[in-house]
């Protein structure tokens, strides 16, 4: 995993990104979860009187203490997508709010406990679903969708997009778009390229198949901690975090809910709230 120091180098590297290491292993075994957070009394950290009451007991059930409540999303959305033209690539959302966005890819692991966890915690997630991983259980994701979470495009078969021709890229994006639209009743607005790999043809394929932006990431969740793009290993306002629907087989015995709990702890340690990505992105007006 290459480390990119500084923002301009990071963005320069995006264009040439080939296969990012999104493997489960590799990183952060040092953080064992001995810090099963004592549910401190300092729950109502949100100064805003309008924030909904935090269900501390629900968080405690999962060995967690509540994250700060997400602020109201800006009325004027910081990202505005166009119905035409080349699709942009987003690795973060320009915002001064102390929020990050959690994205979950693929869809192979379908742990019922994770649905229970999301019902309890109400943390917003964005799901980039890949048909090969979900076709044995489209229904699993519907309760997550009903909680307000959006389902987005992640190809039919998970190829390394910049190694296949335009026609194949279009099959991959348009095919997943069609199935997701049929299964979930709404057309994906966003596309996540497998391994983060894309080229000019990917942008063409994405634009022609319906999604209006490619979504990259700034941090990648492993088992206990994140891999950071930033050299200082700190979250920044508006960062998009990549995680996966993975279970013990991919996580060295760690469950999906344990991994997700670890992610929330790492976010909480840095004082961030989790906001909904789609609340910061304006779809093209019809
Ligand atoms: Zn993937």
């Amino acid at each position: 995993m290459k480390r990119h120091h500084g923002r301009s180098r990071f963005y320069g590297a995006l264009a040439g990104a080939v296969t990012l290491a999104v493997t489960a292993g590799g990183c952060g075994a040092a953080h064992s979860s001995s810090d099963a957070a004592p549910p401190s009394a300092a729950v109502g950290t949100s100064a805003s009187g309008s924030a909904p009451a935090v269900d501390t007991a629900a968080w405690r059930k999962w060995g967690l203490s509540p994250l700060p409540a997400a602020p109201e999303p800006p009325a004027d959305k910081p990202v505005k997508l166009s119905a035409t033209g080349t699709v942009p690539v987003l690795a973060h959302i320009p915002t001064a709010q102390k929020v990050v966005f959690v994205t979950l890819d693929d869809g192979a692991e379908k742990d019922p406990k994770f649905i229970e966890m999301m019902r309890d915690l109400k943390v917003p997630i964005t799901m980039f679903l890949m048909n090969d991983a979900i076709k044995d259980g489209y229904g699993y994701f519907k309760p997550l969708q009903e909680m307000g979470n959006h389902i987005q495009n992640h190809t039919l078969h998970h190829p390394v997009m910049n190694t296949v021709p335009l026609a194949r890229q279009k099959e991959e994006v348009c095919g997943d778009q069609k199935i997701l639209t049929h299964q979930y009743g709404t057309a994906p607005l966003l596309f996540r390229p497998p391994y983060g790999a894309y080229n000019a043809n990917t942008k063409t394929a994405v634009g022609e198949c319906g999604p209006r932006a490619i979504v990259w990431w700034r941090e990648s969740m492993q088992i206990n901690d994140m891999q950071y793009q930033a050299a200082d290993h700190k979250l920044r306002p508006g960062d998009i975090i990549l995680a996966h629907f993975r279970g013990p087989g991919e996580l060295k015995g760690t469950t999906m809910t344990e991994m997700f709990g670890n992610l929330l702890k790492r976010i909480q340690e840095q004082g961030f709230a989790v906001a909904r990505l789609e609340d910061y992105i304006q779809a093209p007006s019809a």
Side-chain angles (χ1 to χ4, degrees):
M1 181 74 186
K2 280 188 288 186
R3 299 275 178 206
H4 306 293
H5 302 282
R7 205 163 145 178
S8 57
R9 277 191 59 193
F10 172 48
Y11 280 104
L14 280 186
V18 185
T19 41
L20 267 284
V22 286
T23 52
C27 171
H31 291 263
S32 77
S33 46
S34 57
D35 54 334
S40 71
V43 168
T45 47
S46 167
S48 155
S50 62
V54 175
D55 186 353
T56 309
W59 288 78
R60 192 178 301 166
K61 171 180 160 187
W62 298 95
L64 302 166
S65 39
L67 266 64
E72 283 288 316
D76 183 26
K77 301 192 182 195
V79 174
K80 296 174 177 66
L81 299 181
S82 165
T84 56
T86 304
V87 299
V89 180
L90 312 170
H92 80 292
I93 299 292
T95 178
Q97 293 180 342
K98 207 167 178 191
V99 297
V100 293
F101 306 96
V102 174
T103 63
L104 284 171
D105 280 15
D106 302 340
E109 178 72 4
K110 299 172 188 70
D111 184 348
K113 284 286 212 187
F114 181 68
I115 292 176
E116 182 186 341
M117 185 185 208
M118 291 300 94
R119 278 209 176 96
D120 286 342
L121 305 186
K122 300 176 175 60
V123 174
I125 54 172
T126 296
M127 298 173 275
F128 288 90
L129 300 183
M130 187 264 289
N131 191 55
D132 273 355
I134 64 170
K135 63 188 179 187
D136 65 348
Y138 293 116
Y140 174 80
F141 303 93
K142 290 179 183 173
L144 296 168
Q145 182 189 27
E146 284 160 12
M147 292 172 211
N149 300 305
H150 293 249
I151 288 171
Q152 307 290 5
N153 191 316
H154 191 47
T155 74
L156 288 174
H157 308 295
H158 215 264
V160 183
M161 291 290 265
N162 60 1
T163 67
V164 298
L166 174 60
R168 169 78 194 283
Q169 294 200 41
K170 281 185 68 174
E171 286 171 19
E172 290 287 338
V173 183
C174 289
D176 203 40
Q177 189 80 358
K178 186 175 175 191
I179 290 171
L180 294 177
T181 304
H182 174 70
Q183 288 292 333
Y184 300 107
T186 176
L189 177 66
L190 308 172
F191 174 77
R192 158 85 36 82
Y195 316 104
Y198 64 89
N199 59 14
N201 282 342
T202 315
K203 294 182 180 181
T204 301
V206 169
E208 292 185 4
C209 293
R212 292 311 311 163
I214 290 174
V215 177
W216 230 74
W217 61 90
R218 281 264 180 88
E219 287 80 27
S220 166
M221 181 60 190
Q222 307 299 309
I223 298 174
N224 297 295
D225 202 355
M226 288 172 272
Q227 288 183 341
Y228 293 83
Q229 299 288 347
D232 62 4
H233 288 203
K234 288 200 171 101
L235 294 170
R236 284 169 170 68
D239 278 3
I240 295 169
I241 300 171
L242 167 67
H244 293 84
F245 287 95
R246 284 180 176 155
E250 299 85 20
L251 300 177
K252 301 180 180 175
T254 300
T255 66
M256 173 88 188
T257 57
E258 289 167 341
M259 178 279 291
F260 201 82
N262 292 337
L263 172 60
L264 296 177
K265 285 179 190 173
R266 302 292 89 81
I267 294 170
Q268 188 198 38
E269 286 162 1
Q270 300 178 61
F272 281 79
V274 178
R276 188 176 304 290
L277 180 61
E278 290 83 357
D279 286 348
Y280 289 69
I281 298 175
Q282 186 175 304
S285 48

